[in-house]
Amino acid sequence: MLFMFVSLIFIIVSIFTFRKVRISNPYSKGFALAIVLSIVAIVCLAQNYTQSQIPEANDGIGISNQVAYSIIGDDGWSQDKFRDIFEKSTFFTLILIVAFPFVLIVESKLKKKVTWEV
């Protein structure tokens, strides 16, 4: 939960900073930043899930990195929970990747509309 909260705040602050500095396409760049953070999360969750498949290596089941720990938390660790969170995160990342071209299209159409009206 902590990772998602910090990532969301970081993305919102980045978008406002992009707009203030007048960087072109600030929303799509913020959306791309969300995709990158989501990919980092699934890599860490995948590493945690695969590490949990070898309980002998860790003297039982545990969280293998800080990012996975900040997403999963303290409660109810199990291989099924690790897999479920990894699969949900992967699905969410795929949705972000598929939605990215639509964000670019909407942003470019809004930009053209604003420049024609000005």
Side-chain angles (χ1 to χ4, degrees), residues 43-65 79 82:
V43 167
C44 291
L45 288 169
Q47 190 266 339
N48 184 67
Y49 173 62
T50 56
Q51 194 75 15
S52 74
Q53 298 296 311
I54 312 166
E56 303 86 33
N58 296 318
D59 198 25
I61 191 169
I63 302 282
S64 60
N65 59 64
Q79 291 175 348
F82 293 165

Side-chain angles (χ1 to χ4, degrees), residues 6-23:
V6 170
S7 296
L8 184 62
I9 289 176
F10 179 69
I11 291 165
I12 290 170
V13 168
S14 296
I15 290 172
F16 284 124
T17 304
F18 293 158
R19 288 186 69 205
K20 186 171 182 154
V21 182
R22 299 193 187 274
I23 292 177

Side-chain angles (χ1 to χ4, degrees), residues 1-2 21 30 34 39 43 53 84-85 93 101-102 111:
M1 241 7 213
L2 178 65
V21 182
I39 290 171
V43 167
Q53 298 296 311
D84 184 51
I85 292 173
T93 302
F102 296 108
K111 186 177 178 181

